Amino acid sequence: MPVVLAVNPLSPQADVLAEAARVLQSGGLVAFPTETVYGLGARALDERALARIFEAKGRPTHHPLIAHVEDEARARSLAASWPEAASRLARAFWPGPLTVVVDRARHVPPAIGGGDSSIALRVPAHPVALALLALLGEPIAAPSANRYQGLSPTTAAHVVKELGHRVDLVLDAGPCAAGIESTVIDVRVDPPRVLRLGAADLAALKRIAPGLSARVEVSESTATRASPGMDARHYAPRARMVLALSRDAALALARELLAAEGGPVGLVLREAATASEAAGLDLRVLPNEPREYARRLYGTLHDLDDAGARAIVVQAVPADDEAWWAIADRLERGSTVVR
Ligand code: TXA
Ligand code: MG
């Protein structure tokens, strides 16, 4: 098992940060908190360290990584060009849950862009991540700290469960505030284009980047992808996850699966159910509000996996309200069937 060090989320202890920087400098992997999810960090300019990330995640090497930086100036130093839209978005959203994709500077290893000519960059809004970046003085590449296609971790315990000894050190600062990954925007095109919906507020993004194209298709084929995180299957619990369009359909389907499978069946609703309606089911009711829902979603799915659920039925979220779109996207990618 990895070494886990507790760290104060608001004012991280100097000795803990120094130990994390030491592990990174020696080419190791450090899982650290961000405001979205926990990241699996390594020195972004060190090809061997990047290779260790791909190996630890079991992730194909053509899937690019986000470079985390402490400010816009550092971001620009890793880019071959810095479009006007990048400046505007960076000023409005950094530090924060927004990742921009730009052309990569020549001195940056191609591996970080998955072999493509681009690089994804973000300044995370978490005191621990920012303090670690400042102390290290160089960018940190960090995908979410989970195995390939699995659920992102929102606590240090999730990281340990998912990656075990594959990570050298885990910084534990408690649960992440947003609970869902950053929004990824390609600013090499005009107007900019959303590659992955996420924690940044879409309405606010559109105000800063007028004309922003936000239609993200779930693609069955990696050949047609613009961003590998757009693969159809991603963000999935171990249990088979099934989406149902209403509370009543979810209850009916969960009872049907319980009768068929016998094993534990999880049910995730946005509206209450009575004890008799949910008899025999592992019921979790999440808040019917997108930010609170996002904060708790992955933790709930991790819990149901840990409880041994064979199947998890989830009540779908409102498709007509863009505040729910990022969540709808993750639920669709994580599930096998929609009923
Ligand atoms: O919130 C987050 O973004 C978290 C925290 C740790 O920062 N990180 C994260 O990384 O979710 P990861 O690797 O799990 O997802 C990165 C997403 C993927 O969808 C990937 O395809 C996309 O960003 N991406 C990264 N670099 C890219 C690039 N050069 N071009 C296009 N898409 C890119
Ligand atoms: Mg990920």
Side-chain angles (χ1 to χ4, degrees):
M1 284 301 120
V3 176
V4 179
L5 293 177
V7 58
N8 185 315
L10 297 176
S11 76
Q13 299 86 330
D15 57 335
V16 176
L17 293 171
E19 173 60 9
R22 190 193 64 72
V23 173
L24 289 169
Q25 266 150 1
S26 62
L29 299 182
V30 175
F32 63 96
T34 79
E35 80 281 32
T36 58
V37 300
Y38 275 75
L40 177 63
R43 290 176 67 219
L45 303 179
D46 174 348
E47 291 198 58
R48 285 181 40 203
L50 295 177
R52 285 202 58 201
I53 291 183
F54 287 104
E55 193 187 311
K57 276 187 71 90
R59 177 169 174 161
T61 53
H62 64 267
H63 278 231
L65 307 173
I66 298 173
H68 295 67
V69 292
E70 68 272 43
D71 57 24
E72 187 186 346
R74 178 80 69 183
R76 292 179 82 133
S77 76
L78 303 174
S81 59
W82 194 250
E84 165 65 22
S87 294
R88 270 186 284 119
L89 288 166
R91 265 167 226 149
F93 287 92
W94 284 355
L98 174 70
T99 297
V100 297
V101 174
V102 294
D103 288 319
R104 189 179 65 248
R106 300 256 305 266
H107 70 279
V108 181
I112 197 161
D116 186 31
S117 60
S118 60
I119 186 167
L121 294 157
R122 94 171 182 102
V123 180
H126 195 295
V128 172
L130 288 172
L132 183 58
L133 285 163
L135 181 64
L136 190 67
E138 51 181 303
I140 299 177
S144 52
N146 52 276
R147 294 282 287 169
Y148 179 53
Q149 295 184 327
L151 279 176
S152 292
T154 56
T155 66
H158 297 157
V159 177
V160 173
K161 176 182 78 164
E162 279 275 311
L163 294 175
H165 63 274
R166 295 183 178 95
V167 51
D168 300 306
L169 173 64
V170 180
L171 299 184
D172 181 357
C176 300
I180 188 167
E181 304 81 358
S182 64
T183 303
V184 181
I185 296 189
D186 188 351
V187 293
R188 294 169 302 172
V189 291
D190 188 22
R193 172 169 169 234
V194 175
L195 297 179
R196 179 179 71 178
L197 290 160
D201 183 66
L202 196 50
L205 286 169
K206 285 178 178 165
R207 283 195 294 276
I208 304 295
L212 179 75
S213 119
R215 284 200 61 82
V216 179
E217 305 289 344
V218 175
S219 164
E220 289 296 334
S221 148
T222 37
T224 58
R225 84 201 195 287
S227 178
M230 294 165 84
D231 285 0
R233 185 176 166 82
H234 224 102
Y235 312 104
R238 274 190 280 277
R240 180 159 58 101
M241 187 160 100
V242 188
L243 280 182
L245 292 178
S246 68
R247 185 202 84 115
D248 290 351
L251 273 162
L253 182 57
R255 284 192 297 251
E256 207 180 289
L257 288 171
L258 183 64
E261 313 224 355
V265 171
L267 175 60
V268 181
L269 298 178
R270 290 178 292 113
E271 297 159 83
T274 64
S276 70
E277 282 176 319
L281 299 168
D282 194 343
L283 171 67
R284 312 293 165 109
V285 180
L286 292 182
N288 197 10
E289 189 284 316
R291 281 176 187 273
E292 279 301 314
Y293 187 102
R295 192 200 304 274
R296 289 175 46 188
L297 176 63
Y298 289 158
T300 299
L301 297 176
H302 274 289
D303 274 1
L304 289 169
D305 262 346
D306 296 346
R310 308 263 295 261
I312 301 174
V313 178
V314 182
Q315 176 185 3
V317 299
D320 52 354
D321 178 353
E322 70 179 28
W324 286 97
W325 283 1
I327 295 164
D329 170 83
R330 300 304 189 276
L331 290 177
E332 275 170 37
R333 290 175 210 278
S335 59
T336 45
V337 198
V338 182
R339 284 260 291 245

